[in-house]
Each structure stands twice: as C-alpha cells, then as structure tokens.
Amino acid sequence: VQLQASGGGLVQAGGSLRLSCAASGRIFSIDAMGWYHQAPGEQRELVAAISKGGVTNFADSVKGRFTISRDNAKNTVYLQMNSLKPEDIGVYYCNAGIRLHSNSYGYTTYWGQGTLVTVSS
C-alpha cells in the first residue's frame, strides 16, 4: 500500500493550494483519512481529518480557511487550503487507516511521503 501526496508548492500569502493524497495497492477499505502539518523544527500536528462517512474535524488554526474532502471511489483525500499564511509553511503529510483484507482485524495507519508548502509574505 502506498499513499502519494501531491499539490504542494510556493504561493503568496492569501493564496490557495489544493493538496491531494491517493492510496493505492491492495486495499479492502479505508477508514479515516487526514492531513498533518510539520513546520520547520516542530512536531507533526493534525490539521484536518475526515471519517469514512464524511465527518470532519480541523485544527483551530485552520478553521474557516481549510476544507478536507475525500473521494472514496478513488481512495483519495484532498485538502483545500485558502487564505494561506506564513505560519502554514511546512511539509504536509497525509495518512489513512487501511484494512487490507476482508478478514483483517482492524485498520493499519499508513503515511504519505509529504508535500512541501511554502508561503511568501
């Protein structure tokens, strides 16, 4: 199983980016999916998550600016980032709870490789 994140780049403050993360491989089902932000020199922190049924939650710092969505048919999660600020700079990682087989017990968390977001002020 692989998670491939994309969509990062350089944007001016106030601009927008859309991140994508596609899961591939032998997948039976995917539970929650999420995005994490790791600023330079800081720990990785949850930005947004979405359940299989579409229930979302966000870090306070991004509420009203970021939205998360998923396409279950494509095993893909998206992060729409609007009104970007310099404090949003960092690497964004996606993750997903994946069940590999119908007779697997529970879900295993997989991580994408990260995509870099840079915001110029």
Side-chain angles (χ1 to χ4, degrees), residues 43-57:
Q43 290 187 337
R44 196 177 299 186
E45 296 182 339
L46 177 67
V47 172
I50 183 168
S51 73
K52 187 175 184 179
V55 177
T56 60
N57 67 283

Side-chain angles (χ1 to χ4, degrees), residues 7 18 23 28 40 47 52 56 58 60 78 93 100 102 106-107 114 121:
R18 189 191 193 210
F28 177 72
V47 172
K52 187 175 184 179
T56 60
F58 297 90
D60 288 343
Y78 306 96
Y93 297 90
L100 300 181
S102 60
Y107 292 84
S121 56

Side-chain angles (χ1 to χ4, degrees), residues 30-104:
I30 300 178
D31 192 24
M33 305 181 82
W35 287 96
Y36 287 70
H37 171 229
Q38 186 165 19
E42 302 292 332
Q43 290 187 337
R44 196 177 299 186
E45 296 182 339
L46 177 67
V47 172
I50 183 168
S51 73
K52 187 175 184 179
V55 177
T56 60
N57 67 283
F58 297 90
D60 288 343
S61 60
V62 306
K63 284 180 180 177
R65 300 189 298 123
F66 291 8
T67 58
I68 187 171
S69 60
R70 64 190 285 171
D71 185 334
N72 290 332
K74 295 182 179 180
N75 291 336
T76 300
V77 62
Y78 306 96
L79 185 69
Q80 179 66 44
M81 310 165 69
N82 299 327
S83 302
L84 281 160
K85 305 175 180 180
E87 50 262 46
D88 296 320
I89 290 172
V91 180
Y92 285 75
Y93 297 90
C94 59
N95 78 351
I98 295 176
R99 190 176 174 190
L100 300 181
H101 309 287
S102 60
N103 59 354
S104 298

